[in-house]
Amino acid sequence: MTMILPGFSRTAPIAGAMRSSPGFNMFLFLSLAFALLSLGSGQIMQTVFDDYYDSSATTQCLAEPGSLMYGGGVILNPEFIHGTSGWTVLGEGATEVRISHTNNRFMVARDRKRPTDSFSQKVQLEKGMFYAFSAWVQVSQGSETVAVVFRTRDGKFVRGGSVVAKQGCWSLLKGGIAANSSSPADVLFESKNTSTEIWVDNVALQPFSKKQWRNHQEESIEKVRKSTVRFQITSANERGLGVGGANVLIKQIKPGFPFGCGMNFHILESADYQNWFASRFRYATFTNAMKWYSTEKEQGQEDYSVADAMLKFAQDNNILIRGHNVFWDDPKYQPDWVRTLSPDDLQKAAEKRINSVVSRYAGELIAWDVVNENLHFSFFEDNLGENASSMYYSTAYKLDPTSRMFLNEYNTIEYSGDEKVSPGNYKKRFQEIFSYPGNEDIPAGIGVQGHFGTGQPNLAYMRSSLDILATIGVPIWLTEVSVAPGANQAQYLEEVLREAYSHPGVEGIIMFAGPAYADFNSTALADMNFDNTPAGDVVDQLIQEWRFKDLAAHADDEGFFSTKLLHGEYEITITDPISNSSSTSRFQVTKDSFKIIYHFHI
């Protein structure tokens, strides 16, 4: 049951107002008391918050914990106002509620012996639900990673997110879990350093059904992918006089949201592959053709023939290309001869490489993954110094100032258990690279690969991760989306793509998927005969859904006409209903289009 109490909006950020004023709190108390009589206490907080997702996020460490989200959701005593009620000691150690000098209550886990020794609360998870989690955490000394963990009935520990917490200030831990079964689970906190105390306040766990989650996506798409556009149709002979009742036909020429696919060398061998690709996509990444191990297999013997031919095909078909990649920080993926070089020789070879590949394609690409997987690996830092990657970003930008420079990583949005690349750690590394002297003005981008496994994607964690990454303030692209083969592959691929497309911070998606003919066996969109797989049907459906359908309409008596359009490039044909004369023009719709009136003349 959904009930919006008087004064509450389905989308207004009410969690932050919970402590805002005595008058508000009294109103809230009376409203909840009324609802309690009608519904019963177990449904109250769910009733208030069930259609609202709180996208707020910060990586700042605050003197006081931020506001409680969702009123705590299904968590009892989330602000510890009632001491330890609802909470139990987990493992060894002790817990207590403390009161700060500002009269704020928070829970403390101390005298810990194991990483998961803390405090916990048992909740009931329901199969098919997504659970958004948030809490404010602090440690008693230094800085340590603190994670929220869900201990399931069978004893498994599932991470729901983590943050690097600090002494003396409060950090937001935001994450979530997808429930694969209906069962009780213990919500607890983990830190590997058992000598530190874990401090926690304002704990929330809010459940959402898949229908509610989809509704959030649709509402977001309406806000961030579309704009209301106002037109005025006037007479070319009588300037300024509106043409009442003018017939209007609007066609989208090019979608505004980049949605593309990986491409490999097989595109050069098959007209069927070429037709399959060019009929669907206007954005691509070469999976291997530009990588160092492909263009210089033997030292000093560069060969760009495959990459050059693929780029020509792309340009002939109006397909824009992301450069992937200048370097790869994984030692395993260096050319064989590179791994044997001394540091001095490696530095010379790397300088030659970056100057060669970036200069060759300067001005012809939209982006570069400069040092791939720079959080997981450190081949160049280990051999050339801790600032090696930062310097390569600087060099790449100087050689190709028109391309956006991306930090590209995996597991940041798809796997909550990989501490190395948590959203907070990603942001920290991003800031290290782009705050390096001279790098401050580089057009930067966030690249999250998005390689998902066979199980239900944890969309709650994915969304919270994107919320945190969006605080950096630069475009986010999903750069290599794939979903491992399994019975629900097509469904899960659709869920991931919809989640990405609907997020306000995401400005592009590239899949590492394609036809089986081209050896895309993990996420095959077409079989050997280029007939669609179920995953391919999903992609084709979304391509059509994310394009604007032709619109025929009429201007009002004064020549005005308004409609809501997906962002992109359009063609408008206007016909005078009396003289039957017509004109055709092109225009572009962006997020700022609501600010202007488009004027067209017949």
Side-chain angles (χ1 to χ4, degrees):
M1 176 178 180
T2 299
M3 183 183 80
I4 304 301
L5 299 179
F8 282 108
S9 164
R10 297 166 74 96
T11 57
I14 60 179
M18 295 294 284
R19 303 173 177 173
S20 61
S21 69
F24 177 87
N25 290 333
M26 178 57 73
F27 164 75
L28 177 61
F29 173 78
L30 294 174
S31 298
L32 290 179
F34 173 77
L36 180 60
L37 294 174
S38 304
L39 300 173
S41 60
Q43 301 177 26
I44 298 306
M45 296 316 296
Q46 176 67 24
T47 299
V48 175
F49 292 102
D50 62 358
D51 278 353
Y52 163 67
Y53 174 79
D54 193 332
S55 62
S56 60
T58 182
T59 56
Q60 293 183 332
C61 203
L62 306 180
E64 295 291 333
S67 298
L68 176 68
M69 295 185 182
Y70 309 111
V74 298
I75 297 294
L76 301 176
N77 191 23
E79 299 172 285
F80 308 105
I81 293 172
H82 304 293
T84 61
S85 176
W87 298 89
T88 58
V89 177
L90 184 80
E92 301 182 45
T95 63
E96 63 182 2
V97 172
R98 294 180 188 166
I99 303 176
S100 71
H101 69 279
T102 59
N103 206 35
N104 179 62
R105 294 172 181 266
F106 57 93
M107 182 77 98
V108 175
R110 57 178 174 81
D111 303 327
R112 301 165 53 246
K113 303 296 188 295
R114 296 173 302 182
T116 55
D117 287 348
S118 63
F119 41 87
S120 69
Q121 184 169 134
K122 193 174 293 294
V123 298
Q124 178 67 28
L125 301 181
E126 300 296 337
K127 183 177 181 180
M129 301 285 282
F130 296 119
Y131 291 81
F133 177 85
S134 62
W136 290 86
V137 298
Q138 185 175 163
V139 291
S140 59
Q141 56 187 18
S143 63
E144 299 291 341
T145 296
V146 176
V148 61
V149 177
F150 296 84
R151 185 176 68 172
T152 59
R153 183 169 50 188
D154 57 5
K156 292 181 180 178
F157 288 80
V158 180
R159 276 195 170 199
S162 65
V163 69
V164 177
K166 300 176 183 178
Q167 177 185 4
C169 57
W170 295 91
S171 298
L172 174 63
L173 197 174
K174 194 173 188 186
I177 189 172
N180 295 320
S181 63
S182 295
S183 66
D186 295 307
V187 183
L188 60 114
F189 297 87
E190 175 192 63
S191 179
K192 293 177 182 177
N193 183 355
T194 57
S195 66
T196 189
E197 297 177 350
I198 302 174
W199 300 3
V200 178
D201 196 8
N202 292 350
V203 186
L205 185 67
Q206 177 66 17
F208 296 100
S209 68
K210 284 195 172 183
K211 180 179 179 182
Q212 290 167 339
W213 205 260
R214 180 70 174 270
N215 287 341
H216 300 159
Q217 294 171 347
E218 296 301 324
E219 289 173 6
S220 181
I221 289 169
E222 288 295 314
K223 292 177 182 177
V224 304
R225 304 294 174 217
K226 298 180 181 181
S227 292
T228 298
V229 182
R230 186 167 170 80
F231 303 90
Q232 184 181 25
I233 315 302
T234 57
S235 171
N237 297 325
E238 300 179 64
R239 225 21 113 146
L241 183 63
V243 181
N247 298 312
V248 178
L249 177 63
I250 297 176
K251 296 183 177 182
Q252 190 179 60
I253 304 302
K254 181 181 178 182
F257 185 86
F259 181 43
C261 197
M263 180 194 298
N264 63 27
F265 70 93
H266 289 291
I267 201 84
L268 304 176
E269 306 168 343
S270 168
D272 288 336
Y273 184 14
Q274 292 173 6
N275 293 334
W276 178 89
F277 200 105
S279 65
R280 288 169 170 80
F281 302 111
R282 290 292 172 265
Y283 294 85
T285 299
F286 300 165
T287 55
N288 291 304
M290 286 186 178
K291 291 174 181 172
W292 198 359
Y293 61 62
S294 296
T295 63
E296 195 176 359
K297 295 178 182 178
E298 302 293 334
Q299 186 172 12
Q301 299 179 24
E302 292 183 332
D303 182 2
Y304 289 99
S305 58
V306 172
D308 287 350
M310 291 174 65
L311 182 62
K312 183 179 186 305
F313 163 77
Q315 291 174 336
D316 288 346
N317 289 275
N318 299 313
I319 298 168
L320 301 176
I321 302 298
R322 295 185 73 258
H324 179 74
N325 49 54
V326 180
F327 295 115
W328 198 341
D329 233 353
D330 188 342
K332 182 170 63 176
Y333 293 111
Q334 307 304 320
D336 291 340
W337 59 270
V338 167
R339 290 196 292 266
T340 66
L341 297 177
S342 68
D344 286 345
D345 288 339
L346 174 60
Q347 184 171 11
K348 294 174 185 176
E351 288 176 359
K352 180 175 178 290
R353 158 65 179 176
I354 193 169
N355 278 281
S356 173
V357 69
V358 180
S359 297
R360 186 180 193 89
Y361 299 116
E364 300 193 78
L365 309 177
I366 61 172
W368 273 111
D369 295 328
V370 180
V371 184
N372 200 41
E373 297 172 2
N374 187 240
L375 280 84
H376 275 108
F377 307 105
S378 56
F379 176 78
F380 292 96
E381 287 77 10
D382 294 343
N383 287 278
L384 303 178
E386 63 180 9
N387 293 322
S389 290
S390 300
M391 291 188 287
Y392 290 139
Y393 276 85
S394 176
T395 301
Y397 172 61
K398 291 173 183 174
L399 294 169
D400 186 7
T402 62
S403 290
R404 189 171 291 277
M405 305 296 165
F406 277 77
L407 177 62
N408 191 45
E409 261 297 354
Y410 64 92
N411 280 353
T412 301
I413 62 169
E414 59 265 51
Y415 179 51
S416 59
D418 195 341
E419 182 182 308
K420 274 188 177 180
V421 289
S422 67
N425 282 334
Y426 183 105
K427 183 173 181 177
K428 180 174 180 287
R429 183 60 181 140
F430 183 97
Q431 290 173 332
E432 288 171 353
I433 290 173
F434 292 102
S435 65
Y436 184 77
N439 287 4
E440 298 88 346
D441 296 327
I442 292 177
I446 296 167
V448 285
Q449 294 178 12
H451 294 294
F452 290 83
T454 57
Q456 167 66 56
N458 186 353
L459 300 186
Y461 179 76
M462 177 181 174
R463 185 179 292 183
S464 69
S465 298
L466 292 172
D467 291 343
I468 295 168
L469 292 173
T471 66
I472 299 176
V474 302
I476 301 172
W477 279 56
L478 274 68
T479 55
E480 305 179 15
V481 175
S482 66
V483 173
N488 299 311
Q489 183 187 46
Q491 173 193 333
Y492 293 159
L493 178 63
E494 179 178 359
E495 290 181 0
V496 168
L497 293 175
R498 287 188 182 279
E499 186 64 36
Y501 179 71
S502 66
H503 196 280
V506 174
E507 296 192 15
I509 301 172
I510 301 288
M511 300 174 292
F512 266 26
Y517 167 86
D519 298 326
F520 286 99
N521 298 315
S522 176
T523 308
L525 303 181
D527 62 19
M528 294 296 292
N529 296 316
F530 293 91
D531 293 324
N532 270 8
T533 63
D537 285 338
V538 163
V539 170
D540 282 355
Q541 172 195 335
L542 292 178
I543 289 173
Q544 293 304 312
E545 185 178 321
W546 297 343
R547 289 186 66 95
F548 183 78
K549 311 301 185 294
D550 291 359
L551 173 67
H554 304 283
D556 65 17
D557 292 343
E558 297 180 351
F560 285 99
F561 166 67
S562 295
T563 189
K564 200 165 193 177
L565 299 177
L566 284 162
H567 299 162
E569 296 179 17
Y570 287 84
E571 181 180 87
I572 182 170
T573 300
I574 306 159
T575 305
D576 189 310
I578 297 175
S579 67
N580 211 35
S581 61
S582 65
S583 67
T584 299
S585 305
R586 291 198 172 189
F587 66 98
Q588 189 164 358
V589 178
T590 69
K591 63 182 180 181
D592 295 321
S593 292
F594 72 94
K595 300 176 183 178
I596 60 177
I597 297 177
Y598 292 83
H599 295 275
F600 297 102
H601 308 296
I602 303 178

